[in-house]
Coordinates of all heavy atoms in Angstrom, one line a residue:
M1 N -6.4 15.7 -15.6 CA -6.4 17.1 -15.4 C -5.6 17.8 -16.6 O -4.5 17.4 -16.9 CB -5.7 17.4 -14.1 CG -5.9 18.9 -13.6 SD -7.6 19.2 -13.2 CE -7.5 19.0 -11.4
L2 N -6.2 18.8 -17.2 CA -5.6 19.5 -18.3 C -5.4 21.0 -17.8 O -6.3 21.6 -17.2 CB -6.5 19.5 -19.5 CG -6.1 20.3 -20.7 CD1 -4.8 19.7 -21.3 CD2 -7.1 20.3 -21.7
Y3 N -4.2 21.4 -17.9 CA -3.8 22.8 -17.5 C -3.7 23.7 -18.7 O -3.0 23.4 -19.6 CB -2.5 22.8 -16.7 CG -2.6 22.0 -15.4 CD1 -2.4 20.6 -15.4 CD2 -3.0 22.6 -14.2 CE1 -2.5 19.9 -14.2 CE2 -3.1 21.9 -13.1 CZ -2.9 20.5 -13.0 OH -3.0 19.8 -11.9
E4 N -4.4 24.8 -18.7 CA -4.2 25.8 -19.7 C -4.1 27.2 -19.0 O -5.1 27.6 -18.4 CB -5.4 25.8 -20.6 CG -5.5 24.5 -21.5 CD -6.6 24.5 -22.5 OE1 -7.4 25.5 -22.6 OE2 -6.8 23.5 -23.2
G5 N -2.9 27.8 -19.0 CA -2.8 29.0 -18.4 C -3.0 28.9 -16.9 O -2.5 28.0 -16.2
D6 N -3.9 29.8 -16.4 CA -4.2 29.7 -15.0 C -5.4 28.9 -14.6 O -5.9 28.8 -13.5 CB -4.6 31.2 -14.5 CG -3.4 32.1 -14.5 OD1 -2.2 31.6 -14.5 OD2 -3.5 33.3 -14.6
H7 N -5.9 28.1 -15.6 CA -7.1 27.3 -15.5 C -6.7 25.8 -15.5 O -5.8 25.4 -16.2 CB -8.1 27.6 -16.5 CG -8.6 29.0 -16.4 ND1 -8.0 30.0 -17.1 CD2 -9.7 29.5 -15.8 CE1 -8.6 31.2 -16.8 NE2 -9.7 30.9 -16.1
S8 N -7.5 25.0 -14.9 CA -7.3 23.5 -15.0 C -8.7 22.9 -15.2 O -9.7 23.4 -14.7 CB -6.7 23.0 -13.7 OG -7.4 23.3 -12.6
F9 N -8.7 21.8 -15.9 CA -10.0 21.2 -16.3 C -9.9 19.7 -16.1 O -8.8 19.1 -16.3 CB -10.3 21.4 -17.8 CG -10.3 22.8 -18.2 CD1 -9.1 23.4 -18.6 CD2 -11.5 23.6 -18.1 CE1 -9.1 24.8 -19.0 CE2 -11.5 24.9 -18.5 CZ -10.3 25.5 -19.0
L10 N -10.9 19.1 -15.6 CA -11.0 17.6 -15.6 C -11.4 17.1 -16.9 O -12.4 17.6 -17.5 CB -12.0 17.1 -14.5 CG -11.5 17.2 -13.1 CD1 -12.7 16.8 -12.1 CD2 -10.3 16.4 -12.8
V11 N -10.7 16.2 -17.5 CA -11.0 15.7 -18.8 C -11.3 14.2 -18.7 O -10.5 13.5 -18.1 CB -9.8 15.9 -19.8 CG1 -10.1 15.4 -21.2 CG2 -9.5 17.4 -19.8
A12 N -12.4 13.8 -19.3 CA -12.7 12.3 -19.3 C -11.8 11.5 -20.2 O -11.5 12.0 -21.3 CB -14.2 12.1 -19.7
R13 N -11.5 10.3 -19.8 CA -10.6 9.5 -20.6 C -11.5 8.6 -21.6 O -10.9 7.9 -22.5 CB -9.8 8.5 -19.7 CG -8.8 9.3 -18.9 CD -8.2 8.5 -17.8 NE -7.3 7.5 -18.5 CZ -6.8 6.5 -17.8 NH1 -7.0 6.3 -16.6 NH2 -6.0 5.6 -18.5
R14 N -12.8 8.7 -21.4 CA -13.7 7.9 -22.3 C -15.1 8.6 -22.2 O -15.3 9.5 -21.4 CB -13.8 6.5 -21.8 CG -14.4 6.3 -20.4 CD -14.6 4.9 -20.1 NE -15.0 4.7 -18.7 CZ -16.2 5.0 -18.2 NH1 -17.2 5.5 -19.0 NH2 -16.5 4.8 -16.9
D15 N -15.9 8.2 -23.1 CA -17.3 8.7 -23.1 C -18.0 8.4 -21.8 O -17.7 7.3 -21.2 CB -18.1 8.2 -24.3 CG -17.6 8.6 -25.6 OD1 -16.9 9.7 -25.7 OD2 -18.0 8.0 -26.6
I16 N -18.8 9.3 -21.3 CA -19.5 9.1 -20.0 C -21.0 9.0 -20.3 O -21.6 9.9 -21.0 CB -19.3 10.3 -19.1 CG1 -17.8 10.5 -18.8 CG2 -20.1 10.2 -17.8 CD1 -17.4 11.8 -18.1
A17 N -21.6 7.9 -19.9 CA -23.0 7.7 -20.1 C -23.8 8.7 -19.2 O -23.4 9.0 -18.1 CB -23.4 6.3 -19.8
M18 N -25.0 9.1 -19.6 CA -25.9 9.9 -18.8 C -26.2 9.2 -17.5 O -26.5 8.1 -17.5 CB -27.1 10.3 -19.6 CG -28.0 11.3 -18.8 SD -29.4 11.8 -19.8 CE -28.6 12.7 -21.1
G19 N -26.0 10.0 -16.4 CA -26.3 9.4 -15.1 C -25.2 8.6 -14.5 O -25.2 8.2 -13.3
E20 N -24.1 8.4 -15.2 CA -23.0 7.6 -14.7 C -22.2 8.5 -13.7 O -22.0 9.7 -14.0 CB -22.1 7.2 -15.9 CG -20.9 6.4 -15.5 CD -20.0 6.0 -16.7 OE1 -20.3 6.4 -17.8 OE2 -19.0 5.3 -16.4
E21 N -21.8 7.9 -12.6 CA -21.0 8.6 -11.7 C -19.5 8.7 -12.2 O -19.0 7.7 -12.6 CB -21.0 8.0 -10.3 CG -20.2 8.8 -9.2 CD -20.3 8.2 -7.8 OE1 -21.0 7.2 -7.7 OE2 -19.8 8.8 -6.9
I22 N -18.9 9.8 -12.1 CA -17.5 9.9 -12.5 C -16.6 10.1 -11.3 O -17.0 10.5 -10.2 CB -17.3 11.1 -13.4 CG1 -17.7 12.5 -12.8 CG2 -18.0 10.9 -14.7 CD1 -17.4 13.7 -13.6
T23 N -15.4 9.6 -11.4 CA -14.4 9.6 -10.3 C -13.1 10.2 -10.9 O -12.9 10.1 -12.1 CB -14.2 8.2 -9.7 OG1 -13.7 7.4 -10.7 CG2 -15.4 7.7 -9.1
C24 N -12.2 10.6 -10.0 CA -10.9 11.0 -10.5 C -9.9 10.5 -9.5 O -10.2 10.2 -8.3 CB -10.8 12.5 -10.7 SG -10.6 13.5 -9.2
D25 N -8.7 10.2 -10.0 CA -7.6 9.7 -9.1 C -6.8 10.9 -8.6 O -6.2 11.6 -9.4 CB -6.8 8.7 -9.9 CG -5.9 7.9 -8.9 OD1 -5.4 8.5 -7.9 OD2 -5.6 6.7 -9.2
Y26 N -6.8 11.1 -7.3 CA -6.1 12.3 -6.7 C -4.6 12.1 -6.6 O -4.0 12.9 -6.1 CB -6.7 12.5 -5.3 CG -8.1 13.1 -5.3 CD1 -9.2 12.3 -5.1 CD2 -8.3 14.5 -5.4 CE1 -10.5 12.8 -5.1 CE2 -9.5 15.0 -5.4 CZ -10.6 14.2 -5.3 OH -11.9 14.7 -5.3
N27 N -4.1 11.0 -7.2 CA -2.7 10.8 -7.1 C -1.9 11.2 -8.3 O -0.7 10.9 -8.4 CB -2.4 9.3 -6.9 CG -3.1 8.8 -5.6 OD1 -2.6 9.2 -4.5 ND2 -4.1 8.0 -5.7
I28 N -2.6 11.9 -9.2 CA -1.9 12.4 -10.4 C -1.4 13.8 -10.1 O -2.1 14.6 -9.6 CB -2.8 12.4 -11.6 CG1 -3.3 10.9 -11.9 CG2 -2.2 13.0 -12.9 CD1 -4.3 10.8 -13.1
N29 N -0.2 14.1 -10.6 CA 0.4 15.5 -10.4 C 0.5 15.9 -8.9 O 0.3 17.0 -8.6 CB -0.4 16.5 -11.2 CG -0.5 16.2 -12.6 OD1 0.4 15.8 -13.2 ND2 -1.7 16.4 -13.2
I30 N 0.9 14.9 -8.1 CA 1.1 15.3 -6.7 C 2.2 14.4 -6.1 O 2.4 13.2 -6.5 CB -0.2 15.0 -5.9 CG1 -0.1 15.5 -4.4 CG2 -0.7 13.6 -5.9 CD1 -1.4 15.6 -3.7
T31 N 3.0 15.0 -5.2 CA 3.9 14.2 -4.4 C 3.9 14.8 -3.0 O 3.5 15.9 -2.8 CB 5.4 14.4 -4.9 OG1 5.8 15.7 -4.8 CG2 5.6 13.8 -6.3
G32 N 4.2 13.9 -2.0 CA 4.2 14.4 -0.6 C 2.9 14.7 0.0 O 2.8 15.3 1.0
G33 N 1.8 14.2 -0.6 CA 0.5 14.4 -0.1 C 0.2 13.4 1.1 O 1.0 12.6 1.4
T34 N -1.0 13.6 1.6 CA -1.4 12.8 2.7 C -2.2 11.6 2.2 O -3.0 11.8 1.3 CB -2.3 13.6 3.7 OG1 -1.6 14.7 4.1 CG2 -2.8 12.8 4.9
A35 N -2.0 10.4 2.8 CA -2.7 9.2 2.4 C -4.0 9.2 3.2 O -4.1 9.6 4.3 CB -1.9 8.0 2.7
W36 N -5.1 8.7 2.6 CA -6.3 8.5 3.3 C -7.1 7.3 2.6 O -6.8 7.0 1.4 CB -7.2 9.7 3.3 CG -7.8 10.1 2.0 CD1 -9.0 9.7 1.5 CD2 -7.3 11.1 1.1 NE1 -9.3 10.3 0.3 CE2 -8.3 11.1 0.0 CE3 -6.2 11.9 1.0 CZ2 -8.1 12.0 -1.1 CZ3 -6.0 12.7 -0.1 CH2 -7.0 12.7 -1.1
P37 N -7.9 6.6 3.4 CA -8.7 5.5 2.8 C -9.6 6.1 1.7 O -10.2 7.2 1.9 CB -9.5 5.0 4.0 CG -8.9 5.6 5.2 CD -8.2 6.8 4.8
C38 N -9.9 5.3 0.7 CA -10.8 5.6 -0.3 C -11.9 4.6 -0.4 O -11.7 3.4 -0.4 CB -10.1 5.7 -1.7 SG -11.2 6.4 -3.0
N39 N -13.1 5.1 -0.4 CA -14.3 4.2 -0.5 C -15.1 4.7 -1.7 O -16.4 4.7 -1.6 CB -15.1 4.3 0.8 CG -14.3 3.8 1.9 OD1 -13.8 2.7 2.0 ND2 -14.1 4.7 2.9
C40 N -14.5 5.1 -2.8 CA -15.2 5.6 -3.9 C -16.1 4.6 -4.6 O -17.1 5.0 -5.3 CB -14.2 6.3 -4.9 SG -13.2 5.1 -5.9
G41 N -15.8 3.4 -4.5 CA -16.7 2.4 -5.1 C -16.3 2.1 -6.6 O -17.0 1.2 -7.2
A42 N -15.3 2.7 -7.1 CA -14.9 2.5 -8.5 C -14.4 1.1 -8.6 O -13.8 0.5 -7.7 CB -13.9 3.5 -9.0
G43 N -14.6 0.4 -9.7 CA -14.1 -0.9 -9.9 C -12.6 -1.1 -9.7 O -12.2 -2.1 -9.3
R44 N -11.9 -0.1 -10.1 CA -10.4 -0.1 -10.0 C -9.9 0.6 -8.7 O -8.7 0.8 -8.6 CB -9.8 0.5 -11.2 CG -10.2 -0.2 -12.5 CD -9.5 0.5 -13.7 NE -8.1 0.4 -13.6 CZ -7.2 1.2 -14.2 NH1 -7.7 2.1 -15.0 NH2 -5.9 1.0 -14.1
C45 N -10.8 0.9 -7.8 CA -10.3 1.6 -6.5 C -9.3 0.7 -5.8 O -9.5 -0.5 -5.7 CB -11.5 1.8 -5.6 SG -11.0 2.7 -4.1
R46 N -8.2 1.3 -5.4 CA -7.2 0.6 -4.6 C -7.4 0.6 -3.1 O -6.6 0.1 -2.4 CB -5.8 1.2 -5.0 CG -5.4 1.0 -6.4 CD -4.1 1.7 -6.8 NE -4.1 3.1 -6.5 CZ -4.6 4.1 -7.3 NH1 -5.1 3.7 -8.5 NH2 -4.6 5.3 -7.0
G47 N -8.5 1.3 -2.7 CA -8.8 1.3 -1.3 C -8.1 2.3 -0.5 O -8.3 2.5 0.7
T48 N -7.1 3.0 -1.1 CA -6.4 4.1 -0.4 C -6.0 5.1 -1.5 O -5.7 4.8 -2.6 CB -5.2 3.6 0.3 OG1 -4.6 4.6 1.1 CG2 -4.2 3.0 -0.6
T49 N -5.9 6.4 -1.0 CA -5.3 7.4 -1.9 C -4.0 7.8 -1.2 O -4.0 8.2 -0.1 CB -6.3 8.6 -1.9 OG1 -7.5 8.3 -2.5 CG2 -5.7 9.8 -2.7
V50 N -2.9 7.5 -1.9 CA -1.6 7.6 -1.3 C -1.1 9.0 -1.3 O -0.1 9.3 -0.6 CB -0.6 6.7 -2.0 CG1 -0.9 5.2 -1.7 CG2 -0.4 6.9 -3.5
G51 N -1.7 9.9 -2.1 CA -1.2 11.3 -2.1 C 0.1 11.5 -2.7 O 0.7 12.6 -2.5
D52 N 0.5 10.6 -3.6 CA 1.9 10.7 -4.2 C 1.9 9.9 -5.4 O 1.9 8.6 -5.3 CB 2.9 10.3 -3.2 CG 4.3 10.7 -3.6 OD1 4.7 10.5 -4.8 OD2 5.1 11.1 -2.7
F53 N 2.1 10.5 -6.5 CA 2.2 9.7 -7.8 C 3.2 8.6 -7.7 O 3.0 7.5 -8.2 CB 2.6 10.7 -9.0 CG 2.9 10.0 -10.2 CD1 1.8 9.5 -11.1 CD2 4.2 9.7 -10.6 CE1 2.1 8.9 -12.2 CE2 4.4 9.0 -11.8 CZ 3.4 8.6 -12.6
F54 N 4.4 8.9 -7.1 CA 5.5 8.0 -7.0 C 5.3 6.8 -6.1 O 6.1 5.9 -6.0 CB 6.8 8.7 -6.7 CG 7.2 9.6 -7.8 CD1 7.0 11.0 -7.7 CD2 7.7 9.1 -9.0 CE1 7.3 11.9 -8.7 CE2 8.0 10.0 -10.1 CZ 7.8 11.4 -9.9
R55 N 4.2 6.9 -5.3 CA 3.9 5.7 -4.4 C 2.8 4.8 -5.0 O 2.4 3.8 -4.4 CB 3.4 6.3 -3.0 CG 4.6 6.9 -2.3 CD 4.1 7.4 -0.9 NE 3.6 6.3 -0.1 CZ 2.7 6.5 0.9 NH1 2.3 7.7 1.2 NH2 2.3 5.4 1.6
L56 N 2.3 5.2 -6.2 CA 1.4 4.3 -6.9 C 2.1 3.1 -7.4 O 3.3 3.1 -7.6 CB 0.8 5.0 -8.1 CG -0.2 6.2 -7.8 CD1 -0.4 7.0 -9.1 CD2 -1.5 5.6 -7.2
P57 N 1.4 2.0 -7.6 CA 2.0 0.8 -8.2 C 2.6 1.2 -9.6 O 2.0 2.0 -10.3 CB 0.8 -0.2 -8.4 CG -0.2 0.3 -7.3 CD 0.0 1.7 -7.2
L58 N 3.7 0.6 -10.0 CA 4.4 1.0 -11.2 C 3.5 0.8 -12.4 O 3.6 1.7 -13.3 CB 5.7 0.2 -11.4 CG 6.6 0.7 -12.5 CD1 6.9 2.1 -12.4 CD2 7.9 -0.2 -12.5
D59 N 2.7 -0.2 -12.4 CA 1.8 -0.3 -13.6 C 0.8 0.8 -13.7 O 0.5 1.3 -14.8 CB 1.1 -1.7 -13.6 CG 0.2 -1.9 -12.4 OD1 0.5 -1.4 -11.3 OD2 -0.9 -2.4 -12.6
I60 N 0.4 1.4 -12.6 CA -0.5 2.5 -12.6 C 0.3 3.8 -13.0 O -0.2 4.6 -13.8 CB -1.2 2.7 -11.3 CG1 -2.0 1.5 -10.9 CG2 -2.1 4.0 -11.2 CD1 -3.2 1.2 -11.7
Q61 N 1.5 3.9 -12.5 CA 2.3 5.0 -12.9 C 2.5 5.0 -14.4 O 2.4 6.1 -15.1 CB 3.7 5.0 -12.2 CG 3.6 5.3 -10.8 CD 5.0 5.2 -10.1 OE1 6.0 5.6 -10.7 NE2 5.1 4.7 -8.9
R62 N 2.8 3.8 -15.0 CA 3.0 3.7 -16.5 C 1.7 4.2 -17.2 O 1.7 4.9 -18.2 CB 3.3 2.3 -16.9 CG 4.7 1.9 -16.6 CD 5.1 0.6 -17.3 NE 6.4 0.2 -16.8 CZ 6.6 -0.8 -16.0 NH1 5.6 -1.5 -15.5 NH2 7.9 -1.1 -15.6
E63 N 0.6 3.7 -16.7 CA -0.7 4.1 -17.3 C -1.0 5.6 -17.2 O -1.5 6.2 -18.2 CB -1.9 3.3 -16.6 CG -3.2 3.6 -17.2 CD -4.3 2.9 -16.4 OE1 -4.1 1.9 -15.7 OE2 -5.5 3.4 -16.5
Y64 N -0.7 6.2 -16.1 CA -0.9 7.6 -15.9 C 0.1 8.5 -16.5 O -0.1 9.7 -16.7 CB -1.0 7.9 -14.4 CG -2.3 7.4 -13.7 CD1 -2.4 7.5 -12.4 CD2 -3.3 6.8 -14.5 CE1 -3.5 7.0 -11.7 CE2 -4.4 6.3 -13.8 CZ -4.5 6.4 -12.4 OH -5.7 6.0 -11.8
R65 N 1.3 8.0 -16.9 CA 2.4 8.8 -17.4 C 1.9 9.8 -18.5 O 2.2 11.0 -18.4 CB 3.5 8.0 -17.8 CG 4.7 8.7 -18.5 CD 5.3 9.8 -17.7 NE 6.3 10.6 -18.4 CZ 6.0 11.6 -19.2 NH1 4.8 12.0 -19.3 NH2 7.0 12.2 -19.8
P66 N 1.2 9.3 -19.5 CA 0.8 10.3 -20.5 C -0.2 11.3 -20.1 O -0.5 12.3 -20.7 CB 0.1 9.4 -21.6 CG 0.5 8.0 -21.3 CD 0.8 8.0 -19.8
L67 N -0.8 11.1 -18.9 CA -1.8 12.1 -18.3 C -1.2 13.1 -17.4 O -1.9 14.1 -17.0 CB -2.8 11.3 -17.6 CG -3.5 10.1 -18.3 CD1 -4.4 9.4 -17.4 CD2 -4.3 10.6 -19.5
L68 N 0.1 13.0 -17.1 CA 0.8 14.0 -16.2 C 0.9 15.3 -16.9 O 1.1 15.5 -18.0 CB 2.2 13.5 -15.8 CG 2.2 12.2 -15.0 CD1 3.7 11.8 -14.8 CD2 1.5 12.4 -13.6
A69 N 0.7 16.4 -16.0 CA 0.9 17.7 -16.5 C 2.3 18.0 -16.9 O 3.2 17.4 -16.3 CB 0.4 18.7 -15.4
E70 N 2.5 18.9 -17.9 CA 3.9 19.2 -18.3 C 4.7 19.8 -17.1 O 5.9 19.5 -17.0 CB 3.8 20.2 -19.4 CG 3.3 19.6 -20.7 CD 3.2 20.7 -21.8 OE1 4.0 21.6 -21.8 OE2 2.4 20.5 -22.7
W71 N 4.1 20.6 -16.3 CA 4.9 21.2 -15.1 C 5.3 20.1 -14.2 O 6.4 20.1 -13.6 CB 4.0 22.2 -14.4 CG 2.8 21.7 -13.7 CD1 1.5 21.8 -14.3 CD2 2.7 21.1 -12.5 NE1 0.6 21.2 -13.4 CE2 1.3 20.7 -12.3 CE3 3.6 20.7 -11.5 CZ2 0.8 20.1 -11.1 CZ3 3.1 20.0 -10.3 CH2 1.8 19.8 -10.2
F72 N 4.5 19.0 -14.0 CA 4.9 17.9 -13.1 C 6.0 17.1 -13.7 O 7.0 16.8 -13.0 CB 3.7 17.0 -12.9 CG 3.9 15.9 -11.9 CD1 3.7 16.2 -10.5 CD2 4.4 14.7 -12.2 CE1 3.9 15.2 -9.6 CE2 4.7 13.7 -11.3 CZ 4.4 14.0 -9.9
V73 N 6.0 16.9 -15.0 CA 7.0 16.1 -15.7 C 8.3 16.9 -15.6 O 9.4 16.4 -15.4 CB 6.6 15.9 -17.2 CG1 7.8 15.3 -18.0 CG2 5.4 14.9 -17.2
R74 N 8.3 18.2 -15.8 CA 9.5 19.1 -15.7 C 10.1 19.0 -14.3 O 11.3 18.9 -14.1 CB 9.2 20.5 -16.1 CG 9.2 20.8 -17.6 CD 9.3 22.3 -17.9 NE 8.2 23.0 -17.3 CZ 7.0 23.2 -17.8 NH1 6.7 22.8 -18.9 NH2 6.1 23.9 -17.1
A75 N 9.2 19.1 -13.3 CA 9.7 19.2 -12.0 C 10.2 17.9 -11.5 O 11.2 17.9 -10.6 CB 8.5 19.6 -11.0
Y76 N 9.8 16.8 -12.0 CA 10.2 15.4 -11.5 C 10.8 14.6 -12.6 O 10.7 13.4 -12.6 CB 9.0 14.7 -10.9 CG 8.5 15.5 -9.7 CD1 7.3 16.3 -9.8 CD2 9.2 15.5 -8.5 CE1 6.9 17.1 -8.7 CE2 8.8 16.3 -7.4 CZ 7.6 17.1 -7.5 OH 7.2 17.8 -6.5
R77 N 11.4 15.2 -13.6 CA 11.9 14.5 -14.8 C 12.9 13.4 -14.3 O 12.9 12.3 -14.8 CB 12.6 15.5 -15.7 CG 13.1 14.8 -17.0 CD 13.6 15.9 -18.0 NE 12.6 16.9 -18.3 CZ 11.5 16.7 -19.2 NH1 11.4 15.5 -19.7 NH2 10.7 17.6 -19.4
D78 N 13.8 13.7 -13.4 CA 14.8 12.7 -13.0 C 14.2 11.5 -12.3 O 14.6 10.4 -12.6 CB 15.8 13.4 -12.0 CG 16.7 14.4 -12.7 OD1 16.8 14.4 -14.0 OD2 17.3 15.2 -12.0
R79 N 13.2 11.7 -11.5 CA 12.5 10.6 -10.8 C 11.7 9.8 -11.9 O 11.7 8.6 -11.8 CB 11.5 11.1 -9.8 CG 12.2 11.7 -8.6 CD 11.3 12.2 -7.5 NE 10.7 11.0 -6.8 CZ 9.9 11.1 -5.8 NH1 9.4 12.3 -5.4 NH2 9.4 10.0 -5.2
L80 N 11.1 10.4 -12.8 CA 10.4 9.7 -13.9 C 11.3 8.9 -14.7 O 11.1 7.7 -15.0 CB 9.6 10.7 -14.7 CG 8.4 11.4 -14.0 CD1 7.9 12.6 -14.8 CD2 7.3 10.4 -13.8
R81 N 12.5 9.5 -15.1 CA 13.5 8.8 -15.9 C 14.0 7.6 -15.1 O 14.2 6.5 -15.7 CB 14.6 9.7 -16.3 CG 14.3 10.6 -17.4 CD 15.5 11.5 -17.8 NE 15.1 12.3 -18.9 CZ 15.7 13.5 -19.1 NH1 16.6 14.0 -18.4 NH2 15.3 14.2 -20.1
A82 N 14.2 7.7 -13.8 CA 14.7 6.6 -13.0 C 13.8 5.4 -13.0 O 14.2 4.3 -12.9 CB 15.0 7.1 -11.6
L83 N 12.5 5.7 -13.2 CA 11.5 4.6 -13.3 C 11.2 4.1 -14.7 O 10.4 3.3 -15.0 CB 10.2 5.1 -12.7 CG 10.2 5.5 -11.2 CD1 8.9 6.2 -10.8 CD2 10.3 4.2 -10.4
G84 N 12.0 4.7 -15.7 CA 11.8 4.4 -17.1 C 10.5 5.1 -17.6 O 10.0 4.7 -18.7
L85 N 10.1 6.1 -17.0 CA 8.9 6.9 -17.4 C 9.3 8.2 -18.0 O 8.4 9.1 -18.2 CB 7.9 7.0 -16.3 CG 7.5 5.7 -15.6 CD1 6.7 6.0 -14.4 CD2 6.7 4.9 -16.6
G86 N 10.6 8.5 -18.2 CA 11.0 9.9 -18.6 C 10.8 10.2 -20.0 O 10.2 9.9 -20.8
Ligands
ZN101 ZN1 -11.4 4.8 -4.6

């Protein structure tokens, strides 16, 4: 997710082939959300959406860290630093 002013955009992390289904991970830039089962069918699906960036496995948090919105990083800087992601 890319934030510019009052707008937000989904940005692909790689080229998308015509007809390819795209998915997004709802656990980026969120804390305290509701968990629900996920059946998206993506190869890397964890089977659940935890609704909280900080409840993701640490390797996924590390992978997603460069993708976090600046406002999220500012709001949770201390928590990110405690995880070595600051
Ligand atoms: Zn899924």
Side-chain angles (χ1 to χ4, degrees):
M1 192 69 94
L2 177 65
Y3 296 88
E4 291 183 3
D6 294 337
H7 297 85
S8 58
F9 306 90
L10 286 175
V11 179
R13 297 171 66 192
R14 60 172 175 76
D15 291 341
I16 301 169
M18 186 173 295
E20 182 180 2
E21 183 175 2
I22 58 174
T23 61
C24 76
D25 195 324
Y26 288 97
N27 298 293
I28 297 177
N29 301 320
I30 186 170
T31 59
T34 302
W36 73 84
C38 185
N39 301 301
C40 71
R44 297 181 64 202
C45 180
R46 295 176 301 277
T48 185
T49 296
V50 294
D52 191 319
F53 173 81
F54 294 103
R55 291 182 58 205
L56 288 169
L58 188 54
D59 61 322
I60 301 294
Q61 290 181 35
R62 284 192 187 105
E63 179 183 340
Y64 288 173
R65 171 60 184 87
L67 307 173
L68 293 174
E70 290 179 26
W71 63 263
F72 186 90
V73 172
R74 277 195 305 272
Y76 299 102
R77 184 170 307 281
D78 291 344
R79 291 182 75 181
L80 291 166
R81 282 185 179 150
L83 294 167
L85 303 172

